[in-house]
Amino acid sequence: MRQVSCFPVIDLKNLTANNMSKTIIVTGGAGFIGSAVVRQWLAETDWHLVCLDKLTYAGNSTSLPASHPRFELAVMDICHAVAVRTLITRVQPDAIVHLAAESHVDRSISGPGEFIQTNVVGTYELLQATREYWNALERERKAAFRFHHVSTDEVYGTLGAEGYFDENTAYAPNSPYSASKAGSDHLVRAWHHTYGLPVVTTNCSNNYGPYHFPEKLIPLMILNGLAGKPLPVYGDGLNVRDWLFVEDHARAIRAVLEHGRVGETYCVGGRAERTNMQVVNTLCELLDELHPQGAPHARLITYVKDRPGHDRRYAIDCSKLETELGWRQQETFESGLRKTVQWYLDNPEWVQGVISGSYRQWIDHNYAARGQA
Ligand code: NAD
Ligand code: TYD
């Protein structure tokens, strides 16, 4: 049985038996990207992983292994300083990979408070607890320790038709979500410069893939398409995002965690710019092929009121990650999107599990608020 605890019950004897194996706390490990990290790293390393997650509406324990000798789920809030300190002290991690966050831009517009609480205050509490723990480590472990902050390209604001974000782009967040993530990036940076905490930060473009909560563009369109419901396109549908398959992001995080230079940031992107309409049309074609009952799915496309402050274009130049660390994405947008649609078709029980009351209420509220354009 997987251990699910408010306070951890890790067997430290087992963890220290293998000196080569690392122990890593993954905050937000029950979310979309965090669970991909957990699944991939359990399969590809001998690391012990402790998922620290509050299990908000976006956290889902069924996205995690049901039973694994190197895995534990600790249900707690990163804002809860005492619980976080207790967990860190008991687990004695070699690294903390921080993904826990409120992550949906539309929700940040209708209710920014949680975003400030978790993304800014929560990151602060986690940094303080980590610093206290790290300060007390003996020299070798102290030098090897890493705090890896997982962030977004949205902190850089919006691009026009030309150009790319890279590590030197000035911060210019436009939404409550991106502002709260920018705040957390700055805290992480300051804890390195002021206290010497060994941090690395990654700023990644839009992810897509299996186990994605269906409030974001791609999973929402897939599930609405399968259900014969409208496919709501905001504004003119010409906003551009740079899409990356989630497992490629998980590999990038591992590359930076293991080989990134302390204090540095690394931009991660898919070199796959698409307008929202291109994404939706490609999804409709895939649905027509893989789920012909509803064809043509493009008849469901509905233009709705635009998102306030909607960033026009994101695109990442990830040369630093490629040249310094040799990272390359393994999926193209087309291969990744096909895998994703197939995964949602193959996993109706996971889908049913997330279609809870609170999820439905949000979708209905969001759609009603926008109306038809
Ligand atoms: P998600 O919303 O799917 O998952 C977030 C997880 O954090 C959930 O499991 C949730 O339960 C947990 N969480 C939320 N508040 C918490 C709290 N107070 N204490 C403990 N756990 C809490 O998000 P995601 O899409 O997997 O994103 C993960 C991280 O990656 C975020 O930091 C996000 O900003 C960043 N990011 C996401 C994308 C993307 O396209 N999804 C791109 C770049 C960066
Ligand atoms: P989203 O998946 O929410 O990610 P982000 O806002 O972090 O980029 O949205 C991706 C793009 O799709 C964004 O331009 C907004 C747009 N969008 C729609 O057109 N319709 C929708 O129903 C959603 C959720 C998003």
Side-chain angles (χ1 to χ4, degrees):
M1 263 294 281
R2 174 182 55 226
Q3 292 173 345
V4 180
S5 56
C6 289
F7 290 91
V9 270
I10 268 220
D11 183 346
L12 290 176
K13 284 197 298 295
N14 283 346
L15 296 187
T16 48
N18 177 356
N19 287 333
M20 300 305 289
S21 176
K22 289 185 202 277
T23 300
I24 297 180
I25 292 179
V26 181
T27 77
F32 165 50
I33 300 171
S35 70
V37 163
V38 167
R39 292 188 305 271
Q40 184 184 90
W41 295 4
L42 283 176
E44 295 180 4
T45 73
D46 62 355
W47 299 345
H48 291 79
L49 303 181
V50 178
C51 165
L52 186 176
D53 201 294
K54 185 180 172 183
L55 296 184
T56 67
Y57 79 93
N60 191 336
S61 63
T62 68
S63 304
L64 292 165
S67 165
H68 196 291
R70 288 184 283 112
F71 178 69
E72 179 186 340
L73 171 60
V75 180
M76 65 179 64
D77 189 333
I78 53 167
C79 300
H80 193 314
V82 175
V84 170
R85 277 183 168 75
T86 307
L87 180 76
I88 293 175
T89 305
R90 294 238 193 129
V91 169
Q92 296 283 304
D94 299 291
I96 295 179
V97 179
H98 178 36
L99 297 106
E102 287 293 334
S103 71
H104 186 36
V105 174
D106 291 324
R107 286 187 193 249
S108 82
I109 294 168
S110 53
E114 276 301 302
F115 288 71
I116 304 305
Q117 199 54 34
T118 285
N119 300 1
V120 182
V121 179
T123 300
Y124 157 75
E125 295 292 2
L126 188 65
L127 282 167
Q128 284 290 74
T130 305
R131 181 164 75 95
E132 193 177 288
Y133 162 75
W134 173 76
N135 267 330
L137 287 176
E138 52 84 14
R139 206 157 57 102
E140 210 175 310
R141 287 198 74 204
K142 196 171 179 181
F145 183 85
R146 293 291 179 273
F147 182 94
H148 185 139
H149 179 55
V150 178
S151 192
T152 166
D153 62 352
E154 302 191 26
V155 297
Y156 301 124
T158 187
L159 291 165
E162 304 281 313
Y164 298 90
F165 298 136
D166 68 18
E167 293 79 6
N168 297 314
T169 305
Y171 274 54
N174 289 320
S175 71
Y177 163 66
S178 55
S180 68
K181 289 298 290 188
S184 67
D185 291 13
H186 291 322
L187 291 176
V188 170
R189 178 189 160 88
W191 260 241
H192 172 63
H193 283 271
T194 304
Y195 304 113
L197 190 69
V199 308
V200 284
T201 296
T202 41
N203 293 90
C204 188
S205 64
N206 286 61
N207 284 213
Y208 67 97
Y211 298 94
H212 203 177
F213 190 80
E215 65 185 352
K216 307 274 172 74
L217 178 73
I218 288 179
L220 179 77
M221 295 294 166
I222 295 172
L223 293 192
N224 277 15
L226 290 175
K229 293 184 177 165
L231 307 179
V233 173
Y234 297 173
D236 62 6
L238 298 180
N239 300 67
V240 172
R241 297 292 182 262
D242 173 359
W243 294 97
L244 180 70
F245 192 61
V246 67
E247 289 173 26
D248 280 320
H249 187 192
R251 274 184 279 273
I253 295 171
R254 187 173 151 205
V256 172
L257 176 68
E258 290 192 284
H259 306 294
R261 283 181 291 138
V262 169
E264 293 287 316
T265 66
Y266 293 84
C267 282
V268 189
R271 298 193 190 278
E273 286 182 56
R274 299 287 186 279
T275 66
N276 293 337
M277 277 313 297
Q278 285 173 320
V279 172
V280 174
N281 282 322
T282 309
L283 284 170
C284 286
E285 286 163 20
L286 281 166
L287 286 170
D288 288 350
E289 179 192 331
L290 300 171
H291 181 74
Q293 299 90 306
H297 291 83
R299 75 191 149 79
L300 301 169
I301 293 172
T302 310
Y303 288 92
V304 298
K305 202 167 131 199
D306 207 353
R307 171 188 282 174
H310 196 173
D311 284 339
R312 194 61 172 172
R313 175 172 167 256
Y314 303 144
I316 283 273
D317 174 359
C318 53
S319 309
K320 179 176 174 181
L321 179 64
E322 291 175 339
T323 53
E324 241 182 59
L325 304 184
W327 173 86
R328 293 284 183 284
Q329 58 179 320
Q330 296 182 11
E331 294 293 339
T332 64
F333 183 66
E334 287 65 34
S335 67
L337 207 58
R338 178 175 286 275
K339 276 188 183 172
T340 304
V341 173
Q342 191 63 56
W343 185 88
Y344 279 92
L345 284 167
D346 292 343
N347 289 277
E349 61 300 328
W350 185 91
V351 170
Q352 279 315 311
V354 298
I355 300 183
S356 66
S358 61
Y359 163 68
R360 275 260 59 85
Q361 276 165 23
W362 162 256
I363 293 300
D364 292 345
H365 156 83
N366 194 35
Y367 194 64
R370 292 181 189 285
Q372 208 148 321

